[in-house]
């Protein structure tokens, strides 16, 4: 027996129609649901979080890139939709999530920029009346953590306090730049091999989700070489006789009356 996947590519300009179906239909986990909203009337109102294999984009798709992206993601195993369905971030413990958020912050801001922000925050919360120069206090550090971690700052506040106290060796509730760096190093430190492995798994999952979203993003294929096999799917479609992903095992069903879409699909079939 064989198992088949059903992937949906939906181009729709009616916001109410899109909102109705995504709130009332369980699309399953073993296929991609790619919704390209082309409406100009208003933005979509999505009340609940969507499964990770249901992606919504604004604008029309590059159909060749979208279909090839689906084939590549599934045939290569690099972007299986059921793996995308694991809620990588929301199901990650706050301790791990806070480390990922701090890593992301340090990829955007330098430590010097974060320290400068924390000095300003420390002076804002300073009740002594004396301006702090190149020094930060606990309230300033907590303000920075809340800014970077959002709601997770409250969930890991115990760890923030513990690390602050470890760095604040003289107990004056103040840190200089080198101590601030040490504090960040402690916040990023993993607690043993198990946590390090868990963190790496989450990073891998996030990378897969970002990669898949980039593949299907509308407009990303503009200006490409029409003769090029962007994702290298020929190796799967024209594989050996026993190849699971040969072109004969893929089918496309189009429901609609758009001649340009029909022409694109015919061109795709002829090319691949």
């Amino acid at each position: 027996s064989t198992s088949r996947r059903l992937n949906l590519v939906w181009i729709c300009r009616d916001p109410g129609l899109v909102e109705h179906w995504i709130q009332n239909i369980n699309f399953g986990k073993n296929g991609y649901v790619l919704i390209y909203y082309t409406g100009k009337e208003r933005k979509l109102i999505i009340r609940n979080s969507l499964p990770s294999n249901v992606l919504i984009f604004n604008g029309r798709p590059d159909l060749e890139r979208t279909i090839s992206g689906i084939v590549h993601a599934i045939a290569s195993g690099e972007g299986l939709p059921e793996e995308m369905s694991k809620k990588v971030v929301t199901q990650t413990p706050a301790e791990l999530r806070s480390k990922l958020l701090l890593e992301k912050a340090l990829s955007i801001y330098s430590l010097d920029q974060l320290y400068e922000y924390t000095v300003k925050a420390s002076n804002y919360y300073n009740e002594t009346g004396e301006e702090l120069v190149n020094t930060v206090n606990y309230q300033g550090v907590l303000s920075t953590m809340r800014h970077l971690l959002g709601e997770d700052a409250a969930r890991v506040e115990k760890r923030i306090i513990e690390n602050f106290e470890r760095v604040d060796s003289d107990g004056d509730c103040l840190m200089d730049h080198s101590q601030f760096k040490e504090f960040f190093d402690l916040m990023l430190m993993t607690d043993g091999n198990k946590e390090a492995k868990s963190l790496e798994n989450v990073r891998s999952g996030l990378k897969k989700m970002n990669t898949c979203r980039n593949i299907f993003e509308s407009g990303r294929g503009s200006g490409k070489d029409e003769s090029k096999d962007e994702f290298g799917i020929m190796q799967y479609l024209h594989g050996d006789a026993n190849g699971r992903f040969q072109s004969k095992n893929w089918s496309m069903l189009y429901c609609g009356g758009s001649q340009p879409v029909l022409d694109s699909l015919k061109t795709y079939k002829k090319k691949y």
Side-chain angles (χ1 to χ4, degrees):
S1 63
T2 60
S3 59
R4 290 188 175 273
R5 297 175 183 270
L6 178 63
N7 301 282
L8 173 66
V9 179
W10 185 17
I11 307 170
C12 184
R13 64 183 179 185
D14 186 332
L17 197 59
V18 174
E19 291 160 356
H20 171 76
W21 286 110
I22 62 177
Q23 297 297 333
N24 293 283
I25 292 294
N26 179 1
F27 290 105
K29 298 180 179 181
N30 71 338
Y32 280 106
V33 178
L34 308 175
I35 302 172
Y36 294 87
Y37 175 59
T38 58
K40 306 295 184 184
E41 180 183 340
R42 61 174 174 82
K43 293 183 178 180
L44 294 174
I45 301 173
I46 311 300
R47 302 190 185 280
N48 301 315
S49 60
L50 299 174
S52 300
N53 61 317
V54 179
L55 305 175
I56 300 179
F57 305 95
N58 290 313
R60 292 184 174 278
D62 177 333
L63 281 174
E64 178 179 338
R65 195 169 197 273
T66 297
I67 298 170
S68 294
I70 291 173
V71 174
H72 167 73
I74 294 172
S76 68
E78 295 178 7
L80 296 175
E82 60 268 28
E83 293 182 359
M84 300 300 105
S85 294
K86 297 174 182 176
K87 296 187 177 179
V88 176
V89 178
T90 56
Q91 292 182 357
T92 302
E95 284 284 347
L96 290 182
R97 199 161 55 234
S98 67
K99 290 178 174 63
L100 291 168
L101 291 170
L102 291 179
E103 285 179 357
K104 182 178 180 180
L106 288 170
S107 72
I108 299 172
Y109 308 105
S110 68
L111 191 69
D112 289 342
Q113 288 175 315
L114 292 175
Y115 185 70
E116 183 180 345
Y117 172 88
T118 308
V119 170
K120 292 178 180 178
S122 297
N123 276 303
Y124 179 83
Y125 291 107
N126 186 19
E127 297 178 351
T128 66
E130 298 181 10
E131 183 180 3
L132 298 174
V133 180
N134 293 327
T135 308
V136 298
N137 58 23
Y138 173 72
Q139 289 299 328
V141 171
L142 186 58
S143 174
T144 297
M145 291 295 104
R146 287 171 176 163
H147 178 71
L148 300 178
L149 305 181
E151 294 179 357
D152 280 337
R155 299 186 179 101
V156 298
E157 188 167 356
K158 182 180 178 181
R159 185 180 180 90
I160 294 172
I161 294 172
E162 289 175 350
N163 288 335
F164 188 96
E165 291 176 346
R166 285 178 66 180
V167 173
D168 179 28
S169 54
D170 55 9
D172 62 357
C173 293
L174 297 174
M175 290 194 302
D176 60 21
H177 190 285
S178 63
Q179 290 172 313
F180 184 75
K181 180 181 182 304
E182 185 181 348
F183 169 80
F184 257 80
D185 289 341
L186 288 172
M187 291 297 298
L188 290 167
M189 188 179 295
T190 55
D191 185 15
N193 292 333
K194 184 177 180 181
E195 187 177 82
K197 185 176 181 180
S198 297
L199 198 59
E200 190 55 42
N201 288 338
V202 175
R203 288 195 194 103
S204 177
L206 289 171
K207 184 178 179 180
K208 282 186 177 182
M209 289 175 67
N210 289 332
T211 298
C212 284
R213 188 163 189 92
N214 289 339
I215 287 174
F216 303 129
E217 188 77 62
S218 58
R220 278 191 173 259
S222 57
K224 69 177 186 300
D225 182 353
E226 296 294 337
S227 64
K228 186 179 179 182
D229 176 12
E230 184 176 359
F231 298 112
I233 65 170
M234 289 289 195
Q235 62 180 313
Y236 305 113
L237 298 180
H238 297 174
D240 59 76
N242 297 319
R244 292 174 56 201
F245 301 108
Q246 274 196 323
S247 57
K248 66 179 182 179
N249 294 327
W250 293 86
S251 299
M252 289 189 292
L253 173 64
Y254 172 56
C255 298
S258 171
Q259 190 61 45
V261 170
L262 193 57
D263 291 341
S264 294
L265 296 179
K266 287 181 178 179
T267 300
Y268 185 87
K269 182 180 179 181
K270 184 176 180 181
K271 177 176 178 179
Y272 292 98

